């Protein structure tokens, strides 16, 4: 347990400030949720209006709460929150969960309230505000105002969920209804103090968490987050990230929702990829991939195999595999011979293998074919389309698949495309048996591609510390001044030369100064390689190697550009520089500046 999270996650007693007997109100649901769960510490309702709440003595203020008490859950109007937190800090409580909204996300007075809260840390650690609570699912302890909370419906498992908003996180958490198990749900809200990075660090060390699912709107300390994500990767725990606010309209919505500011999408994507994160684009993809990683966190070598008794679905999966760049394994001759000895003569042997409907009377035969394909050394995952409306066969086949998944040397997953399938008994057998089930061929192959892609992730670059502030408040730079400064750093301006690198330096919210580069031979849509500044010699060389730019002058030029950008922080928003080669040395061919107004 990280020491600064002890009071939050393992409190001996909890004061619920704003508690009420009226369970139609958000603040009236917190004490009943604690009582229904497995929290075994003391619970202290706090509200001067009542003498009792939910059968427990109610106290007039936090000051009156007896020992032991480590945590306050606060559900009072925003205007009263700072005083309540100050009182909790004076009382000696170590943490507060602030459910109330009305802080950074509304600006003005809300920002002033948030500043006062920040002034009280780290004497007391704050979770929220503007959040729906915290679910310790494995332990059955939930701090929530959710009316639908039922502890007997919690499904414990290896997925640690972190979201900055509540509704999207709860939508993923609802996958417990289909058997997906979670360890924790941290919904961190505005992150006035504790942030997503704190809980990524915690889950990296948590023995009951094997995979992380994140829904993020922005980053308070993006460098710390990247370091935490890299630690998860080093611990063998995949980190999936659904990033909200990648477009200008989405970024505006995130700012109004949880006060998160967003950097440019391609910069954030590149940094997340470098840290080993698996990027997803929507909730269904996040949930699909969570199921796959929860059961099979470490993809074996090889490609996909498709075993079907629907020729059409086999062909559709083959199409999707080609479109997503996922290899369909060429089965070994011995595998094909074994399949021919098992299956009817009319079966199509290969990849995909079409079992035909001849096996409908014999689910064990389909299982034997799956076992044979899974044993092929070139196969990493077998996809098995299960048609709908086959009644007893579907159920029998589902039981066979659950048993086989427990002993198979390779992962298995089911594709069940009918919207009605999830209402069938077969679906529940598969989901509760931990067999990943995909709703469409596209979803199955898309998740498989992301899953298989984690095998080839590169070593993440070093994450440098935050640099000094630079020169805030100084006069804005002009392109001519920037060019003159570059010349002093050994990069003179030239009218002609062979283009070498297109570099952009910008200040990205949550990450600070960032250098993005691409080779000038690439089209405008070409891939940018990204590094956080300051840029050391080794990272400058690695960046040039990534872009396939040779020669000693390129790394030296990038390092000089990075040093200059740090010296001039605060005098520009973004600067673009085209570097080239002229007479054997690096030169500046073009400069474009966006200046701070």
């Amino acid at each position: 347990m990280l020491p600064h999270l002890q009071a939050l996650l393992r409190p001996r007693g909890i004061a619920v400030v704003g508690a009420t007997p009226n369970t139609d109100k958000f603040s009236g649901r917190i004490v009943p949720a604690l009582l229904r769960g497995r929290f075994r510490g003391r619970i202290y309702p706090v509200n001067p209006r009542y003498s009792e709440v939910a059968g427990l003595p109610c106290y007039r203020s936090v000051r009156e709460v007896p020992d032991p008490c480590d945590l306050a859950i606060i559900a009072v109007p925003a205007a009263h929150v700072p005083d309540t937190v100050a009182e909790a800090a004076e009382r000696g409580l170590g943490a507060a969960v602030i459910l109330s909204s009305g802080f950074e996300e509304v600006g003005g007075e809300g920002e002033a309230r948030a500043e006062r809260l920040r002034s009280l840390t780290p004497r007391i650690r704050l979770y929220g505000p503007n959040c729906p609570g915290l679910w310790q699912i494995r332990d059955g302890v939930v701090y929530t105002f959710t009316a639908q909370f039922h502890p007997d419906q919690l499904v414990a498992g290896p997925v640690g969920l972190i979201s900055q908003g509540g509704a999207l996180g709860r939508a993923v958490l609802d996958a417990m209804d289909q058997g997906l198990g979670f360890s924790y749900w941290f919904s961190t809200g505005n992150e006035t103090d504790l942030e997503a990075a704190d809980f990524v660090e915690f889950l990296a060390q948590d023995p009951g968490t094997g995979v992380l699912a994140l829904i993020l709107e922005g980053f308070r300390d993006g460098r710390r987050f990247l370091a935490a994500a890299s630690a998860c990767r080093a611990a063998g725990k995949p980190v999936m990230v659904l990033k909200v606010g990648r477009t200008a309209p989405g970024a505006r919505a995130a700012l109004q929702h949880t006060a998160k500011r967003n950097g440019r999408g391609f910069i954030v994507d590149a940094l997340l990829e470098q840290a080993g994160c698996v990027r997803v684009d929507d909730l269904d993809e996040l949930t699909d991939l969570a199921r796959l990683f929860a059961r099979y966190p470490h993809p074996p070598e090889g490609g996909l195999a498709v075993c079907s008794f629907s020729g059409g679905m086999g062909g559709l999966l083959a199409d999707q595999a080609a479109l997503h760049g996922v290899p369909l394994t060429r089965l070994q001759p011995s595998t094909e011979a074994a399949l021919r000895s098992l299956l009817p003569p009319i079966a199509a042997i290969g990849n995909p293998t079409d079992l035909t409907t001849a096996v409908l009377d014999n689910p064990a035969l389909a299982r034997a074919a799956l076992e044979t394909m899974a044993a092929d050394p070139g196969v990493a995952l077998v996809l098995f389309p299960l048609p709908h409306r086959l009644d007893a066969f579907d159920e029998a086949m589902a039981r066979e698949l659950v048993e086989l998944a427990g002993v198979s040397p390779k992962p298995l997953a089911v594709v069940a495309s009918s919207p009605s399938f999830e209402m069938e008994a077969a679906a529940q057998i598969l989901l509760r048996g931990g067999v990943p089930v995909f709703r469409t061929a596209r979803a199955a192959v898309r998740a498989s591609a992301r899953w298989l892609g984690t095998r080839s992730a590169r070593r993440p670059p070093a994450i440098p510390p935050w640099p000094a502030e630079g020169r805030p408040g100084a006069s804005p730079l002009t392109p001519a001044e920037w060019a003159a400064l570059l010349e002093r750093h050994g990069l003179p301006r030239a009218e002609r030369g062979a283009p070498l690198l297109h570099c952009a330096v910008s200040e990205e919210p949550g990450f600070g100064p960032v250098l993005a580069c691409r080779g000038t031979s690439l089209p405008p849509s070409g891939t940018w390689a990204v590094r956080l500044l300051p840029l050391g010699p080794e990272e400058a060389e690695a960046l040039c190697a990534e872009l396939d730019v040779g020669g000693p002058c390129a790394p030296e030029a990038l390092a000089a550009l990075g040093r200059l950008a740090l010296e001039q922080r605060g005098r520009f928003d973004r600067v673009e520089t085209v570097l080239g080669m002229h007479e054997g040395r690096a030169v500046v061919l073009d400069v474009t500046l966006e200046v701070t107004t």
Side-chain angles (χ1 to χ4, degrees):
M1 174 67 67
L2 299 175
H4 70 290
L5 298 181
Q6 184 75 32
L8 176 69
L9 301 180
R10 300 291 183 269
R12 297 165 299 168
I14 300 175
V16 181
V17 185
T20 170
N22 185 353
T23 55
D24 290 333
K25 294 184 175 181
F26 284 0
S27 57
R29 300 171 188 160
I30 303 164
V31 171
L34 290 169
L35 291 170
R36 284 198 299 267
R38 296 201 299 270
F39 180 64
R40 294 296 175 257
R42 301 289 298 276
I43 302 171
Y44 309 106
V46 176
N47 193 324
R49 298 181 180 180
Y50 307 104
S51 61
E52 181 181 290
V53 170
L56 298 172
C58 191
Y59 298 86
R60 293 181 57 81
S61 72
V62 177
R63 291 187 188 93
E64 298 180 6
V65 168
D67 287 327
C69 189
D70 301 307
L71 172 68
I73 301 178
I74 299 173
V76 299
H80 301 297
V81 169
D83 285 342
T84 302
V85 173
E87 186 178 295
E90 292 167 5
R91 168 65 179 74
L93 274 63
V97 173
I98 305 172
L99 306 180
S100 317
S101 58
F103 295 87
E104 298 100 326
E105 79 279 9
V106 299
E109 291 184 4
E111 180 59 48
R113 294 184 197 113
E115 281 298 324
R116 187 172 172 213
L117 290 177
R118 278 189 279 272
S119 74
L120 297 168
T121 62
R123 189 157 51 117
I124 183 170
R125 303 312 303 259
L126 306 180
Y127 179 97
N130 187 27
C131 72
L134 185 159
W135 296 47
Q136 301 188 65
I137 296 164
R138 187 177 61 235
D139 300 326
V141 176
V142 173
Y143 317 150
T144 187
F145 54 66
T146 302
Q148 295 79 21
F149 167 64
H150 298 287
D152 57 338
Q153 295 176 357
L154 296 179
V155 179
V159 181
L161 175 62
I162 300 172
S163 67
Q164 290 166 331
L168 293 182
R170 183 56 203 259
V172 174
L173 202 66
D174 284 345
M176 288 191 295
D177 294 343
Q178 284 79 44
L180 184 60
F182 294 82
S183 56
Y184 290 86
W185 176 32
F186 298 106
S187 185
T188 55
N190 290 10
E191 300 184 341
T192 298
D193 176 27
L194 295 173
E195 57 184 300
D198 288 283
F199 302 107
V200 175
E201 290 173 352
F202 168 75
L203 293 174
Q205 301 178 20
D206 178 54
T209 300
V211 56
L212 282 69
L214 278 57
I215 307 172
L216 303 177
E217 297 184 7
F219 303 87
R220 282 187 61 234
D221 186 342
R223 296 184 180 220
R224 184 176 166 211
F225 174 86
L226 295 175
S230 296
C232 284
R233 172 180 161 180
K237 300 183 180 185
V239 179
M240 304 171 294
V241 178
L242 171 58
K243 177 65 176 66
V244 178
R246 299 170 70 192
T247 66
R252 287 194 297 271
L255 185 62
Q256 294 168 347
H257 183 215
T258 59
K260 299 296 186 302
R261 297 186 181 277
N262 280 270
R264 287 168 297 159
F266 81 94
I267 294 282
V268 176
D269 285 352
L271 292 172
L272 291 173
E273 182 180 351
Q274 287 175 15
C277 297
V278 183
R279 291 276 292 101
V280 300
D281 296 319
D282 207 347
L283 289 177
D284 61 335
E285 187 178 3
L286 184 67
T287 305
D288 284 343
L289 201 52
R291 290 189 188 282
L292 196 52
F293 274 125
R295 183 65 185 257
Y296 307 113
H298 306 298
E301 293 301 317
L304 285 182
V306 177
C307 183
S308 175
F309 48 88
S310 164
M313 181 57 76
L316 181 57
L317 283 164
D319 284 341
Q320 287 296 319
L323 290 170
H324 284 82
V326 182
L328 285 181
T329 297
R330 183 176 182 85
L331 300 180
Q332 292 198 346
S334 58
T335 303
E336 293 187 350
L339 289 170
R340 286 192 185 92
S341 68
L342 278 173
L343 298 173
I346 60 172
I349 306 300
N351 192 9
T353 284
D354 182 3
L355 304 175
T356 78
T357 56
V359 301
L360 291 182
D361 292 331
N362 190 354
L365 184 56
R367 171 177 171 165
L370 285 167
E371 286 181 298
T372 301
M373 294 186 81
D376 191 295
V379 171
L381 171 68
V382 182
L383 295 177
F384 183 68
L386 190 58
H388 178 48
R389 303 292 189 192
L390 297 178
D391 302 326
F393 174 84
D394 279 348
E395 292 183 42
M397 193 69 237
R399 286 190 286 270
E400 294 278 3
L401 288 166
V402 170
E403 290 180 10
L404 178 56
V407 297
S408 173
K410 302 289 177 59
L412 307 169
V414 168
V415 185
S417 296
S418 170
S420 301
F421 181 78
E422 63 187 33
M423 296 181 287
E424 286 194 354
Q428 295 305 310
I429 293 170
L430 290 168
L431 291 168
R432 299 199 179 280
V435 177
V437 178
F438 299 104
R439 281 284 306 275
T440 66
R442 181 175 182 271
V445 173
R446 181 181 58 182
S448 301
R450 306 276 200 203
W451 178 73
L452 291 169
T454 60
R455 297 180 308 200
S456 58
R458 294 172 299 199
R459 180 187 65 83
I463 299 167
W466 282 87
E469 276 297 305
R471 303 176 64 187
S475 60
L477 269 174
T478 67
E481 286 178 309
W482 179 256
L485 289 167
L486 285 171
E487 186 160 7
R488 288 183 209 165
H489 281 72
L491 295 170
R493 186 72 184 259
E495 295 299 322
R496 65 181 185 277
L500 188 66
L501 285 169
H502 184 177
C503 313
V505 179
S506 59
E507 194 81 17
E508 298 295 322
F511 295 99
V514 171
L515 173 68
C517 295
R518 65 183 177 193
T520 52
S521 61
L522 293 171
S525 60
T527 301
W528 291 79
V530 176
R531 292 295 188 276
L532 297 169
L533 294 176
L535 187 70
E538 290 184 4
E539 283 304 328
E541 291 183 9
L543 189 55
C544 290
E546 189 174 328
L547 293 167
D548 195 23
V549 175
C553 65
E556 293 171 3
L558 287 181
L561 183 63
R563 287 194 300 271
L564 176 58
L566 291 181
E567 290 173 8
Q568 301 300 320
R569 282 185 78 193
R571 298 189 67 193
F572 62 90
D573 292 326
R574 174 180 165 87
V575 59
E576 294 193 15
T577 306
V578 178
L579 298 177
M581 290 289 295
H582 181 62
E583 296 181 349
R585 67 181 301 188
V587 295
V588 176
L589 300 178
D590 192 23
V591 170
T592 305
L593 267 172
E594 295 177 15
V595 298
T596 305
T597 55

